[in-house]
Amino acid sequence: MAGRTASVLIVGAGSAGIAAATRLLDRGFRNLTILEAEHRLGGRIHSVRRGGNVLDYGAQWVHGKENNFVYDMASQYGLIEVEQHKENDVYYKSTGELVPKETSDRVLKTLHNLLEEDADGLQSYTGSLGAYYDQVFYDAVRAGKFAGIDQRTCYQLYQFFIKYHNTYNATDTLHEVSGAGLLEFQDNQDEFLINWKNRGFHTLLDLLMRKLPEQSGAPIPVEEYTKFNHVVKSIKWNCAENPHHHRVSVTCTNGVTFSATHLILTVSLGVLQDLHTGWFDPPLPEPKRNAIEGLYIGTIDKLFLEFDEPFWSQDGSWHGFGLLWEPADLEQLRHDDRQWLRSVCAFFVPDRTERLLVGWIYGHDARTMEALPEGQVIDGLMHLLRKFLPHLPVPAAPRWFSRSRWYSNPHFRGSYSSRSMRSDAMRATAAALAEPLTTEQAVPIVQFAGEASHPQFYSTVQGAVGSGWREADRLIALYKNKPGAAGSENDGQQTLRGKL
């Protein structure tokens, strides 16, 4: 089969799909079509300009410098900067009391150091991450590591620590997260975040498509190959090869069918979990079903509040705060049917923005929030700000509000993946998810990409892009030495190939 006649169909124009498409187009694969359910590129990268601000509804920061090609790609053009403050630096109680910085620093730094020192203990731990953290914390309490700190404040800071890690891992509870399984993830983030200088994470997609004026070479016109608002209804694979070399066909809800030699499927794990039983004909083999059903995807959302004027300090000392709850105030939330507010973990002021405060919410309560009327969500958030910040002139309402809804959007069904206790029990792995469906001659028919399919960098844009490159390289290698193959070895090789 000549590579020139082979056709490639990519489902999903998020970071994995764009990475695969740009790699293939750059190597001469022109018989390529991308089907995108949304009306835009980007997937879970969704940068929106509002006035002088760029809002990132999904991915926002570059996580770490080491072994991170996203950082390498962006830094060579001066597109990013390291923030000069920690992610969480200030904590208020629901009584309005400010926790002394030396207290919060000591508790959280002690926890971090204990976990760093006991990394080998997690390697052999058979329980959940939540149970492991509980063990480390209560052992530290008994050992007097927090001596001299008010016991209730210490516990409240630990509860924030747990909520932060639920937000970081996009989980409902750390007691369903695999302790040992988490060690598969290579986390190179340090305590300082790296932002895009108010350009938005979509800048990475522009880098992949060579759209920036700083880049050399012609732009890669991904949009010209993309069919927007095309929602997959069914996938027929393992078809007998015909004169056009088509082995797979995808039918969309608008009735249009696309056939190809190869399909690269980059949809989220949440979409696969929802739809795989109805999509595939024939049904997926058992190892693939096991991976899809056994891996975990959770929900975190952002809540954007824009005010006429900032009501917080403008001297650079205030970047947001973490929320510490008194038990009586949590009980009041339940009484007022506002229990979803307990999972608003923190508010932050994005660097280089004006008048903008953003809240984080995770898990079950994030999914509850997504279904609430907008006015009810705004009222709840303003209640939090007035309650936790009584010393500041909090306005009656914001001038503008918006929120992400990653779970309720049927084209995503969640934010990103992690490893659960169920994943361990089912032996569900990213490697199994990434394994392509092939012919008897090992020619790939259906390939799988996306952050959930990356063994080391799942949950990240880095993992998504790397998985897209992996699947593109699989096809490039297949046709590399075939007569008439699409692109020669040195033809248009992408600048940053192999950084993963």
Side-chain angles (χ1 to χ4, degrees):
M1 227 174 8
R4 191 168 291 136
T5 60
S7 53
V8 181
L9 192 59
I10 298 174
V11 173
S15 48
I18 290 174
T22 51
R23 187 84 126 203
L24 290 169
L25 289 168
D26 215 26
R27 296 299 297 271
F29 286 75
R30 296 288 183 263
N31 195 354
L32 183 149
T33 302
I34 305 170
L35 304 180
E36 170 53 51
E38 296 276 306
H39 64 280
R40 60 176 179 84
L41 298 178
R44 284 168 280 176
I45 294 177
H46 189 196
S47 305
V48 177
R49 179 164 292 281
R50 177 172 168 78
N53 299 329
V54 174
L55 313 180
D56 273 313
Y57 285 77
Q60 179 151 352
W61 292 288
V62 177
H63 289 277
K65 302 176 184 179
E66 300 300 321
N67 193 25
N68 188 346
F69 59 78
V70 173
Y71 176 85
D72 296 338
M73 292 172 72
S75 63
Q76 70 171 315
Y77 298 110
L79 300 174
I80 52 178
E81 64 183 1
V82 179
E83 297 182 4
Q84 298 305 304
H85 57 89
K86 296 179 183 178
E87 186 173 0
N88 297 294
D89 229 4
V90 176
Y91 300 88
Y92 287 99
K93 296 188 178 185
S94 53
T95 59
E97 176 190 349
L98 172 66
V99 177
K101 191 173 186 308
E102 57 270 20
T103 299
S104 56
D105 281 355
R106 180 181 162 196
V107 171
L108 296 173
K109 197 168 291 184
T110 298
L111 278 169
H112 175 78
N113 291 341
L114 288 171
L115 292 169
E116 285 284 306
E117 292 166 7
D118 194 38
D120 291 341
L122 184 57
Q123 183 79 54
S124 59
Y125 195 73
T126 57
S128 70
L129 187 64
Y132 176 73
Y133 283 171
D134 283 348
Q135 176 180 302
V136 170
F137 173 69
Y138 289 111
D139 283 352
V141 170
R142 286 187 287 269
K145 300 288 187 182
F146 308 113
I149 297 176
D150 172 67
Q151 192 174 48
R152 174 175 284 188
T153 301
C154 185
Y155 180 73
Q156 289 169 328
L157 285 164
Y158 175 63
Q159 288 302 304
F160 172 84
F161 173 86
I162 294 298
K163 289 182 177 183
Y164 170 80
H165 282 273
N166 273 313
T167 304
Y168 188 70
N169 292 294
T171 48
D172 286 18
T173 168
L174 294 184
H175 287 279
E176 65 185 355
V177 179
S178 167
L182 189 68
L183 295 176
E184 297 173 24
F185 181 65
Q186 292 184 15
D187 190 353
N188 296 309
Q189 181 184 351
D190 59 21
E191 60 184 348
F192 296 102
L193 299 174
I194 303 169
N195 68 56
W196 289 89
K197 297 183 178 179
N198 202 27
R199 295 170 178 261
F201 216 118
H202 196 278
T203 308
L204 175 67
L205 306 182
D206 293 338
L207 281 168
L208 290 171
M209 295 184 284
R210 288 206 296 260
K211 284 188 171 184
L212 298 182
E214 300 95 327
Q215 294 176 279
S216 59
I220 304 174
V222 169
E223 290 95 338
E224 294 179 13
Y225 292 84
T226 304
K227 308 287 187 184
F228 293 103
N229 301 306
H230 277 62
V231 180
V232 172
K233 181 181 180 182
S234 63
I235 299 172
K236 188 174 182 179
W237 65 284
N238 213 9
C239 312
E241 186 180 339
N242 57 37
H244 300 288
H245 308 300
H246 293 160
R247 291 196 178 96
V248 60
S249 62
V250 175
T251 300
C252 297
T253 55
N254 61 6
V256 180
T257 296
F258 299 84
S259 298
T261 314
H262 310 282
L263 168 64
I264 301 177
L265 196 59
T266 74
V267 299
S268 76
L269 176 63
V271 170
L272 284 175
Q273 289 178 344
D274 260 12
L275 300 176
H276 79 87
T277 55
W279 263 4
F280 290 95
D281 177 21
L284 293 174
E286 192 280 331
K288 184 67 66 179
R289 294 197 309 270
N290 185 76
I292 291 171
E293 293 165 7
L295 294 173
Y296 181 96
I297 184 167
T299 308
I300 57 167
D301 281 309
K302 293 178 187 174
L303 306 148
F304 298 90
L305 296 157
E306 183 183 85
F307 297 93
D308 289 318
E309 296 295 337
F311 60 85
W312 51 89
S313 171
Q314 293 297 288
D315 62 4
S317 64
W318 202 90
H319 304 280
F321 66 101
L323 286 70
L324 309 185
W325 284 95
E326 292 289 340
D329 291 325
L330 282 175
E331 183 58 38
Q332 188 64 45
L333 286 184
R334 286 187 283 271
H335 181 268
D336 296 341
D337 198 24
R338 283 178 162 174
Q339 195 166 352
W340 63 274
L341 289 170
R342 66 188 171 174
S343 296
V344 177
C345 175
F347 289 91
F348 71 98
V349 179
D351 270 24
R352 293 179 176 245
T353 63
E354 301 172 0
R355 306 186 302 276
L356 194 65
L357 196 60
V358 183
W360 288 108
I361 186 170
Y362 69 90
H364 170 81
D365 293 329
R367 296 189 289 276
T368 298
M369 177 281 299
E370 290 186 18
L372 293 176
E374 182 175 290
Q376 195 170 332
V377 177
I378 294 172
D379 288 347
L381 295 175
M382 297 310 297
H383 168 75
L384 287 184
L385 293 177
R386 286 189 292 270
K387 187 168 188 60
F388 281 81
L389 305 174
H391 58 290
L392 294 180
V394 177
R399 66 182 293 182
W400 177 83
F401 169 77
S402 187
R403 55 181 159 171
S404 61
R405 286 170 153 169
W406 292 113
Y407 175 76
S408 51
N409 186 324
H411 304 148
F412 300 102
R413 301 302 284 166
S415 301
Y416 48 78
S417 67
S418 63
R419 299 292 175 265
S420 68
M421 297 296 291
R422 186 167 184 256
S423 305
D424 287 355
M426 295 177 66
R427 298 184 180 178
T429 64
L433 181 60
E435 191 67 25
L437 309 176
T438 69
T439 66
E440 291 181 357
Q441 292 74 37
V443 175
I445 304 173
V446 182
Q447 298 164 249
F448 295 82
E451 53 84 12
S453 74
H454 199 293
Q456 291 83 36
F457 297 120
Y458 60 85
S459 80
T460 69
V461 173
Q462 183 181 0
V465 172
S467 72
W469 285 347
R470 178 192 68 216
E471 296 311 314
D473 287 345
R474 197 187 300 273
L475 295 182
I476 291 167
L478 178 67
Y479 292 107
K480 181 177 179 182
N481 299 315
K482 290 181 181 288
S488 65
E489 182 174 0
N490 297 312
D491 179 24
Q493 185 167 341
Q494 189 160 321
T495 306
L496 282 145
R497 184 181 177 197
K499 281 286 187 179
L500 181 61

